[in-house]
Amino acid sequence: MLIGGIYAAAALGFSLVWGVTNIINIAHGAFIMLGAYVTYWLFVGPLHLDPFLSIPLAMGVVFVIAYVLQRYVVNLVIRAPILATFLLTFGLAILITNLALLFWSSDIRSVTTAYSGGNFEVAGLVVPWVKLITLGLAALLTLGLSLFMAKSKIGRAIRATSMDIDAARLSGVNVARIYALTFAIGGALAAAAGSLASVSYAITPTMGDSFLVRSFVVSVLGGLGNVTGALVGGIVYGIIESFGALVFGEGYKDVVALVVLLLVILFRPYGLIGRATV
């Protein structure tokens, strides 16, 4: 269940971008990787910043990168068939990953704090502090995004654009700017997921690949574009994955992910929290 916090954080931005702009952002995993590296460099640098405190900085850095990429690259094919945006973001993912390999090499890095191995017991269960904090922060990110979407002017414009783009445009919404902001917010949330993952996973240029697959599954499981669904889907998927690894072995995690995806598409295509539309 606790591992689901990272999956939920990773899926938040992916689901938002997919739900609003209809773009399956394959570069999302690369954004997660960038967030993890920002946290790592802030931790080993002169500031020696705690990985959880570095989350806002990581989000800010990737927000700017994602905004520029959407505004000047992705926006060129924003109304193209989904395959075009799929291939474009796939190319961006390859580019970002190879730049990371060029500048930071493929060396495995990690963030190890004084409390990394800390845990406590509840009713015989060992609860790692890092995983519990990660789940708590994922819940806070979900709550913060929900409030932002409901209360802020930009959030309401994003919701209006996702529901009816023509009506939103007639109401004065700058759709191109909203798309760029949505993509950037998705990137920032991916960076937050990377920061959270940096204290539990090895940091490499390709670390985002596995999170991309899980973000896809969790988004479908929770309900596309549904903020709360991403958190619920992440927790449910974390439980299923842990149970699958316990029964079938660690090497079958990805198989479990694909089986879950197929079952959800077959029996509840609108997700656990989403609603059927006609």
Side-chain angles (χ1 to χ4, degrees):
M1 176 179 172
L2 295 178
I3 196 68
I6 295 178
Y7 297 157
L12 267 178
F14 186 85
S15 180
L16 177 69
V17 171
W18 191 1
V20 175
T21 68
N22 199 33
I23 290 176
I24 301 175
N25 181 20
I26 305 301
H28 190 75
F31 291 156
I32 292 175
M33 175 269 294
L34 288 178
Y37 269 101
V38 171
T39 294
Y40 171 79
W41 292 119
L42 288 172
F43 179 72
V44 301
L47 291 177
H48 195 59
L49 195 61
D50 184 273
F52 293 121
L53 296 180
S54 70
I55 291 175
L57 291 174
M59 292 178 73
V61 170
V62 180
F63 178 93
V64 173
I65 293 172
Y67 186 91
V68 172
L69 285 176
Q70 201 287 336
R71 197 69 169 160
Y72 298 104
V73 181
V74 179
N75 197 44
L76 298 175
V77 295
I78 194 67
R79 306 307 299 170
I82 196 168
L83 180 61
T85 56
F86 184 92
L87 292 175
L88 179 61
T89 56
F90 180 62
L92 288 174
I94 293 175
L95 175 64
I96 295 170
T97 301
N98 279 278
L99 286 175
L101 277 167
L102 178 66
F103 290 115
W104 302 322
S105 78
S106 59
D107 292 348
I108 297 175
R109 295 176 169 87
S110 62
V111 175
T112 305
T113 64
Y115 53 82
S116 290
N119 57 64
F120 62 96
E121 286 192 23
V122 176
L125 296 175
V126 178
V127 182
W129 280 110
V130 167
K131 295 288 195 306
L132 185 62
I133 295 172
T134 298
L135 180 61
L137 290 175
L140 283 178
L141 282 173
T142 305
L143 177 62
L145 183 60
S146 296
L147 291 175
F148 175 79
M149 297 293 285
K151 303 294 183 182
S152 72
K153 184 178 179 181
I154 293 175
R156 290 194 293 271
I158 290 174
R159 290 167 55 206
T161 304
S162 70
M163 288 187 284
D164 191 327
I165 186 173
D166 292 326
R169 189 177 282 118
L170 289 173
S171 301
V173 173
N174 185 336
V175 173
R177 179 170 174 267
I178 289 301
Y179 275 168
L181 284 172
T182 302
F183 198 82
I185 292 170
L189 292 168
S195 296
L196 295 175
S198 68
V199 294
S200 300
Y201 293 85
I203 301 171
T204 68
T206 57
M207 66 175 289
D209 295 347
S210 62
F211 286 107
L212 175 64
V213 174
R214 285 162 177 76
S215 297
F216 186 92
V217 176
V218 170
S219 297
V220 175
L221 182 61
L224 186 60
N226 191 307
V227 176
T228 306
L231 179 63
V232 174
I235 293 173
V236 170
Y237 180 76
I239 294 172
I240 293 173
E241 185 185 75
S242 299
F243 183 75
L246 182 66
V247 174
F248 302 108
E250 287 285 328
Y252 290 91
K253 282 185 176 181
D254 291 338
V255 176
V256 172
L258 293 175
V259 170
V260 170
L261 178 63
L262 288 174
L263 291 175
V264 171
I265 290 174
L266 282 173
F267 297 107
R268 199 173 173 85
Y270 41 88
L272 298 176
I273 304 296
R275 295 179 179 176
T277 57
V278 294

